[in-house]
Amino acid sequence: MRSLTAPLLLAMCLVSGAPVVHHARAQTSPEVIRDPSRLPEPVARMRQAILSAAMSGDVEAMRVAIDMNELPPSFGAKVADPVAHWRKLSADGEGREILAALVEILRTGFVKKPDGKAGEMFVWPYFAETPLKDLTPGQRVELMTIVPAADAKRMIEAGQYTHWRLGVSSTGVWHVFDKAE
């Protein structure tokens, strides 16, 4: 019975009419991977395309990475033109603030998590999938390289990362770049 997953057990209880007992489960910290050479080749290729475009300083260069997908990634809001959207969001009006965020999060560690639809998903920064209360002092400093200290403090107190995150499936498909909720 150990091999059954929680969703399957829940479904069995609901079908059979058995009582559903909820047990609090401690959220465990996923393995933080810092070595990009551990990425599957398609993921490494997409990461490099995004990073190269972002480091170019030209927000238009992001179209190359976006167009590598059959469908565009989710950018958190339904936007017809992500580059124009990023220019609008960016404090500098050129989209470079968003490019800087991409560079910074792709320089942090990442996590690999199971994703039913896409096999595995690689998520940057690892903070998006890590219980923030468990951060070491060094990881708290690293968080402050991505967000201002006041935002980092709020996130740690709330226990939730709420800044930019990026997800690429194990097949190299860029699925998401949005603000984590």
Side-chain angles (χ1 to χ4, degrees), residues 51-169:
L51 191 55
S52 294
M55 291 183 72
S56 77
D58 179 7
V59 73
E60 287 293 330
M62 291 304 300
R63 292 189 194 281
V64 173
I66 293 167
D67 290 344
M68 288 173 70
N69 284 343
E70 188 173 320
L71 297 171
S74 168
F75 297 112
K78 185 125 177 112
V79 293
D81 182 354
V83 171
H85 177 68
W86 293 333
R87 281 189 173 118
K88 188 176 179 179
L89 287 178
S90 190
D92 69 347
E94 297 295 323
R96 290 190 183 103
E97 180 182 23
I98 307 303
L99 298 179
L102 277 164
V103 170
E104 287 304 315
I105 67 172
L106 287 171
R107 286 182 176 166
T108 68
F110 55 93
V111 297
K112 176 174 66 172
K113 68 177 208 163
D115 181 17
K117 301 173 290 205
E120 293 176 325
M121 185 71 67
F122 293 82
V123 179
W124 287 266
Y126 66 92
F127 302 111
E129 298 293 328
T130 301
L132 298 185
K133 66 176 178 47
D134 296 340
L135 295 181
T136 66
Q139 288 173 318
R140 288 174 185 235
V141 169
E142 185 178 20
L143 177 60
M144 286 184 238
T145 68
I146 298 173
V147 300
D151 291 348
K153 182 179 180 189
R154 266 192 303 280
M155 288 179 203
I156 291 167
E157 288 171 354
Q160 184 176 7
Y161 175 82
T162 57
H163 198 58
W164 294 107
R165 68 175 174 157
L166 184 139
V168 177
S169 73

Side-chain angles (χ1 to χ4, degrees), residues 35-53:
D35 181 1
S37 72
R38 290 184 53 193
L39 291 168
E41 194 275 328
V43 180
R45 185 175 43 243
M46 180 56 79
R47 176 188 176 271
Q48 189 56 50
I50 296 167
L51 191 55
S52 294

